[in-house]
Structure formats: C-alpha cells, structure tokens
C-alpha cells in the first residue's frame, strides 16, 4: 500500500501549493480591484478565508490533475529503467517520446492551473470555467504576457543571484575569521545552495503576484473602456503599459470581480 500513501503525499503537496497560489492571487487581486484602499483591511486574511470557504474543491481538482500527470511520468520512468538493459530500441524510443510529451503536458497544466487560480480568486469560477477563461485571455494578450513574463523572470533571477551573492560574501567574511575551521569551501557552498532555495521560496510569492497582476490588467482592459466604465488600474500602470482607448461599451462584463465587493 506504499503507492497509496505516496499518491496521497503528492496530492496533498500539490493541494497546499494550489491553496497558496490562490490565496496570494486573491490578496493581490483584491488590492487591484479596490478603488478605495484601507490600511485596516486584511486582504491576505480575507483571501485565505475565501479559499477555505469557497474554492477547496477547485484546488483539489486542479492539484489532482497535476498529481496524476506526475504519477504517469513516474510510471514511464520506472518502465524505462526496467527496459534499459533490453535491446528493443523502438520501445525505448516510444517511451522517451511519451516521457517528453507528458513532461510538456505537466508543465503546461501547471502554468494553466496558476492562471486558473487567478481567475477563481477574482470571479469565483469553477476550475474548468476558470481554466477556459484564463486560456482565452492569455491568447488575446499573448505578446504582453510573454514580454512581462520574460522581463519578470529575468529580474527575479537576478534578485535570486543577488541574495546568493550577498549570503556568500557574508559567509566568506565570517568563515575567514574562524581560523580553526577546515574545509570552509564546503561550508560556503552549502550556504549558497540553501540561500538560493530560501530566496526562490520567497521570490515565488512575487512571481505569483506578477502573474496575478497581468491577468487582472488583461481582464480590466477587456471589461472596461476608461470612459463610462473606468479602469481599476492606477495611472502609473497606464503609463507603463500603453493602452489603446477602445470603445468596449457594447461588451458588458460577464461577471463583476467578486474581490472588489468583498
């Protein structure tokens, strides 16, 4: 029954990650879609409450999809190891193709899940509806999404390197003062590795906020025209991201953002 517990562990870990993403997205979206900000309002606490109250089923379903894909990839890898000594090159080639395809599918579903969680946190859709809406909005703004993701990924990577470099320099300074310490290079390498993982954990929050703001901006631009339906975005964001003033008054929003009313 070890496989049963392993499956439960994978599903639980993915479920917690999904809840984390949705809570962060809900907090960021509530700030974006609120015109009058209050310092006493706890956006993070309200977002966590909405996730636990309304969206647990969507989180469980989205995490189950990723878990099943990981299990399928694990089974394929196990079969590949068993057939490594065999001389059937055709079977090994097919298994390699299947492993590559499921790896791509898993990465794609993780990306779509994150965008779906943003839609869920904004409008309260079910998972399938949120995934479809997110896919459509991303297709309509594919150049904007690609440019922001590329620049954002580079900036966040530089931030990680700065943290690692700072921790490494600080560790080097402290280790040089310890004259009785041997093999200081191993200790310094350990410091750099752990600092990178810790920085990645914290910076992943910023990555989710960036993804959320991109979806919020795209939804804001699609549902409002800046005239009779004013934008929620700030004037600084309007200057950073050039908006063509299109008359979208005929296209009424299908559903107003729930986070703006909560």
């Amino acid at each position: 029954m070890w496989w049963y517990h392993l499956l439960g562990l994978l599903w639980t870990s993915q479920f917690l990650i999904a809840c984390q993403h949705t809570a962060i997205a809900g907090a960021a979206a509530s700030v974006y879609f609120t015109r009058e900000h209050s310092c006493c309002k706890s956006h993070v606490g309200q977002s966590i409450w909405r996730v636990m109250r309304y969206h647990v089923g969507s989180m469980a379903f989205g995490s189950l999809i990723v878990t099943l894909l990981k299990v399928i990839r694990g089974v394929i890898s196990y079969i590949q190891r068993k057939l490594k000594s065999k001389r059937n090159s055709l079977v090994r080639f097919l298994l390699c193709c299947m492993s590559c395809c499921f790896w791509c599918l898993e990465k794609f579903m993780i990306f779509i899940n994150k965008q779906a969680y943003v839609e869920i946190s904004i409008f309260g859709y079910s998972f399938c509806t949120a995934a479809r809406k997110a896919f459509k909005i991303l297709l309509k703004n594919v150049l904007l999404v690609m440019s922001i993701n590329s620049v954002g990924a580079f900036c966040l990577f530089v931030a990680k390197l700065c943290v690692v470099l700072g921790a490494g320099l600080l560790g080097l300074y402290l280790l040089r003062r310890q004259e009785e310490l041997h093999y200081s290079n191993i200790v310094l390498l350990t410091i750099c590795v752990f600092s990178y993982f810790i920085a990645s954990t914290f910076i992943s929050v910023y990555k989710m906020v960036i993804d959320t703001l991109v979806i919020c901006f795209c939804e804001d631009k699609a549902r409002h025209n800046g005239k009779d339906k004013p934008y929620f975005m700030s004037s600084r964001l309007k200057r950073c991201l050039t908006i063509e003033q299109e008359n979208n008054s005929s296209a009424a929003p299908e559903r107003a953002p729930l986070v703006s009313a909560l």
Side-chain angles (χ1 to χ4, degrees):
M1 294 294 290
W2 62 268
W3 59 269
Y4 175 79
H5 297 287
L6 180 61
L7 179 63
L9 178 62
L10 288 175
W11 192 2
T12 302
S13 63
Q14 292 299 319
F15 174 77
L16 294 177
I17 292 174
C19 292
Q20 171 194 341
H21 289 164
T22 310
I24 295 172
S30 62
V31 173
Y32 184 97
F33 287 109
T34 300
R35 299 192 186 276
E36 296 181 359
H37 299 281
S38 174
C39 60
C40 299
K41 189 174 182 180
S42 176
H43 297 285
V44 176
Q46 291 183 358
S47 178
I48 295 175
W49 182 84
R50 288 196 298 268
V51 171
M52 296 294 102
R53 175 64 177 83
Y54 299 107
H55 307 314
V56 173
S58 297
M59 303 301 99
F61 184 66
S63 59
L64 177 61
I65 295 175
V66 178
T67 301
L68 293 179
L69 291 175
K70 288 183 177 294
V71 170
I72 293 174
R73 285 189 58 217
V75 172
I76 294 175
S77 299
Y78 175 78
I79 296 176
Q80 283 179 313
R81 289 195 300 269
K82 288 296 183 179
L83 297 180
K84 185 177 294 185
S85 59
K86 305 297 181 180
R87 295 184 178 181
N88 195 335
S89 58
L90 178 61
V91 175
R92 288 187 296 174
F93 173 76
L94 292 177
L95 288 174
C96 288
C97 291
M98 291 176 60
S99 178
C100 180
C101 291
F102 276 102
W103 181 84
C104 294
L105 181 60
E106 178 187 342
K107 296 301 179 182
F108 175 77
M109 286 306 305
I110 291 175
F111 175 77
I112 289 296
N113 279 10
K114 291 179 67 175
Q115 314 310 317
Y117 297 150
V118 177
E119 291 283 344
I120 291 172
S121 63
I122 298 174
F123 301 106
Y125 294 133
S126 62
F127 177 81
C128 296
T129 304
R132 186 178 71 252
K133 296 285 186 180
F135 187 73
K136 289 182 179 179
I137 201 69
L138 290 176
L139 284 182
K140 291 180 180 179
N141 302 271
V142 60
L143 295 179
L144 175 65
V145 173
M146 289 178 60
S147 60
I148 293 180
N149 284 346
S150 300
V151 175
F154 175 75
C155 293
L156 294 179
F157 179 73
V158 171
K160 294 178 186 178
L161 291 183
C162 291
V163 172
V164 174
L165 181 61
L169 292 177
L170 180 60
L172 181 62
Y173 171 74
L174 295 176
L175 290 175
R176 283 185 174 180
R177 301 178 61 181
Q178 304 292 330
E179 298 180 356
E180 69 278 4
L181 180 64
H182 301 285
Y183 304 106
S184 59
N185 293 334
I186 298 178
V187 178
L188 185 61
L189 179 62
T190 304
I191 292 174
C192 293
V193 171
F194 275 92
S195 62
Y196 178 81
F197 284 112
I198 293 174
S200 299
T201 302
F202 282 93
I203 290 178
S204 64
V205 177
Y206 290 94
K207 179 65 170 62
M208 190 63 200
V209 171
I210 292 174
D211 293 339
T212 303
L213 294 180
V214 171
I215 295 294
C216 290
F217 171 80
C218 295
E219 291 286 358
D220 191 12
K221 188 177 68 171
R223 296 167 181 267
H224 307 94
N225 54 20
K227 298 176 182 177
D228 56 320
K229 298 175 182 177
Y231 293 119
F232 282 91
M233 69 187 72
S234 63
S235 57
R236 181 180 299 179
L237 184 58
K238 293 178 185 178
R239 292 194 299 267
C240 294
L241 301 173
T242 304
I243 301 176
E244 298 179 359
Q245 297 293 340
E246 300 175 351
N247 186 11
N248 296 328
S249 58
S250 60
E254 297 179 2
R255 184 182 296 189
L258 293 180
V259 293
S260 62
L262 294 176

